[in-house]
Structure formats: structure tokens, C-alpha cells
Amino acid sequence: SYSEGVLTLKDYYYLAQVELVKTDSVSKAGLPDVVFSLYKQTGEEPDTDRDILIAGGLVTGPEGRWDSSSAGGVDNPVTKGSLSDGLCPGSYYFVETSCGERHKLDQTPQKFEITQKNFTDIPEGEEPQVRLNIENEPIEVKLQKVDSKSGEMLEGAEFTLMDLIGSSEQTVETGDNGTVILPGIVSGRSYRLEETKAPAGYILNDLHPLVEFTVEADGSVSFTKTENTYTNTTGKKGTK
């Protein structure tokens, strides 16, 4: 523009929208209520302490989707406008901060680029858009019962599983491969596992071995208490 002898030239951002889709890695179902932050990368590698936080507390909807075009009321510190207007060219990434109690939290930066390619060959009437499809693994804790000498998988070992917060109990039994997936396990809770029945041909330890463990947000297990031993002797009761 020109005014009073001054020629003013303005640069305008090309803006593109971004869509994040979160799904279960097994069922492929969408994951609602996944919380994450969006950053603009300023160096060669992501660094949340250095990079520009565009917005935090962003949440996927009922079908596991979040779209920047629906982020009205969220300011974009880079463009000085609304996040719903889109993102200018550059390097960005999402960092997950919460994904619910039944899936593993994955805080690996999920990177994407907005470049000139996002603004070419766009169907008429559609906005430039980048889409990320990211899967979360369900939390799974597997119990395995083996012979301490031969390494043979032991079928038919029975355990009582207790949720130490809700005090609920259920019985689980190892299958023909010596393993069983513990049902109903969620992150942020502690559990007690007590052997109550030895496999066929083995004698249950009279101390009823037990272990207590906590499931972390990333699906890892930390053991908080281990008492006695899980070793069963072979033979029949009354024999030496």
C-alpha cells in the first residue's frame, strides 16, 4: 500500500490445516480423549524446552480425530491469529500427554512439515491439509509360568488377581502355552497376583507366592513387592 510517500509491502502467510487421527493399534478403532500438545520446531531436532509451544491440552474427539480448523478460540503465537486459521510453512510436531488408562502413553514427537507442496494441486473448494495417523498400543500384561529347570511352559497354574485400589478379585489360569493375558489391567493402578493352584504334576508352595506390581502410563510394569518364591516342586503331596 502507498500512503503519504511511504510504500508498505506486506508478506502474508500461506496457511494449511492439520488433522491428527489416533487409533488402537489392534482394533483400529478411533481413540477419543487423547490429550496432546502442538509445537513448532525451531532447531534440527524436536526440543520441547526450546521450541515454540503452539497449544497444549488439545483433545481428540469421539472418533479419535482432532482438526486445527475446529480449534477456534485457540491463539497461534506464530501467526498471531487463531489456530483455526491454520499453520504457516515450517516444521511441527505433536507430543502426547495423556491417552487414557487402557493404552500405552507414547511421548515420541510426531513430526510433520508444512511446505509449498501443501498448497498445490488442491481440489477446488478444499483447504490445504496435512493428516497424521498415529496408533497407540493397548496395555497388556502377560503372565508366563515355566519349569525353572527345563524351561517348559506350564499349563494349568491358577492365580488370583486383585486390584489393590478397587479390591476386586478374579481368577486366571495359564493356557497350553503356559501364558495368560491378565484381564482388565489399566495404567496407574496396583495389583496383587497370588498363585493358588499348581500345574498338574507340581506341588503348590505352602507360602502361596505373591507379587504386587504397578502399571505405568507407558504400559511398563514396576514391582512393588515380591514375597516368597514362584518355584513349585514336582511330585505328589506326602512324598519327598
Side-chain angles (χ1 to χ4, degrees):
S1 63
Y2 181 83
S3 176
E4 298 180 356
V6 178
L7 179 63
T8 302
L9 301 178
K10 296 182 179 180
D11 288 330
Y12 292 91
Y13 289 117
Y14 287 98
L15 300 176
Q17 303 292 348
V18 59
E19 181 184 42
L20 175 67
V21 181
K22 298 289 290 186
T23 56
D24 183 293
S25 63
V26 178
S27 69
K28 309 304 178 183
L31 298 180
D33 301 323
V34 177
V35 185
F36 54 94
S37 299
L38 172 62
Y39 291 85
K40 188 176 192 300
Q41 187 173 321
T42 58
E44 293 185 1
E45 296 296 332
D47 184 341
T48 57
D49 293 327
R50 176 199 62 211
D51 295 332
I52 301 171
L53 174 63
I54 302 295
L58 306 174
V59 185
T60 57
E63 296 181 353
R65 298 176 182 272
W66 176 87
D67 193 316
S68 58
S69 64
S70 62
V74 180
D75 294 332
N76 184 336
V78 176
T79 63
K80 308 303 181 184
S82 172
L83 182 55
S84 61
D85 295 333
L87 301 173
C88 61
S91 300
Y92 297 86
Y93 58 92
F94 291 108
V95 175
E96 189 172 278
T97 56
S98 174
C99 67
E101 60 183 11
R102 296 190 179 277
H103 289 83
K104 298 179 182 179
L105 179 67
D106 183 0
Q107 296 188 296
T108 304
Q110 304 294 335
K111 300 188 287 185
F112 64 96
E113 299 276 342
I114 293 180
T115 67
Q116 187 62 36
K117 292 181 180 179
N118 299 118
F119 303 95
T120 60
D121 300 326
I122 303 169
E124 186 176 353
E126 292 189 12
E127 288 188 282
Q129 187 176 67
V130 176
R131 174 177 290 179
L132 283 80
N133 293 284
I134 305 171
E135 296 182 338
N136 284 69
E137 296 181 14
I139 287 178
E140 181 179 280
V141 177
K142 183 183 294 184
L143 170 67
Q144 187 175 73
K145 184 71 172 177
V146 299
D147 185 291
S148 61
K149 294 182 180 180
S150 69
E152 176 189 358
M153 301 295 186
L154 300 178
E155 177 185 3
E158 196 171 281
F159 295 81
T160 296
L161 175 66
M162 173 183 284
D163 180 340
L164 295 182
I165 296 178
S167 298
S168 60
E169 289 188 5
Q170 51 189 319
T171 300
V172 297
E173 183 177 332
T174 57
D176 56 8
N177 59 354
T179 63
V180 59
I181 296 175
L182 303 182
I185 298 294
V186 298
S187 65
R189 293 204 178 193
S190 297
Y191 298 87
R192 174 180 293 158
L193 195 62
E194 180 179 358
E195 186 174 7
T196 54
K197 177 184 175 183
Y202 292 79
I203 300 173
L204 180 66
N205 188 318
D206 289 338
L207 297 177
H208 283 228
L210 64 85
V211 62
E212 292 182 2
F213 61 93
T214 299
V215 181
E216 309 297 342
D218 62 359
S220 61
V221 173
S222 60
F223 293 94
T224 53
K225 179 191 288 186
T226 303
E227 293 184 359
N228 311 320
T229 172
Y230 271 95
T231 301
N232 303 117
T233 56
T234 57
K236 299 179 179 179
K237 290 185 177 181
T239 63
K240 295 183 180 180

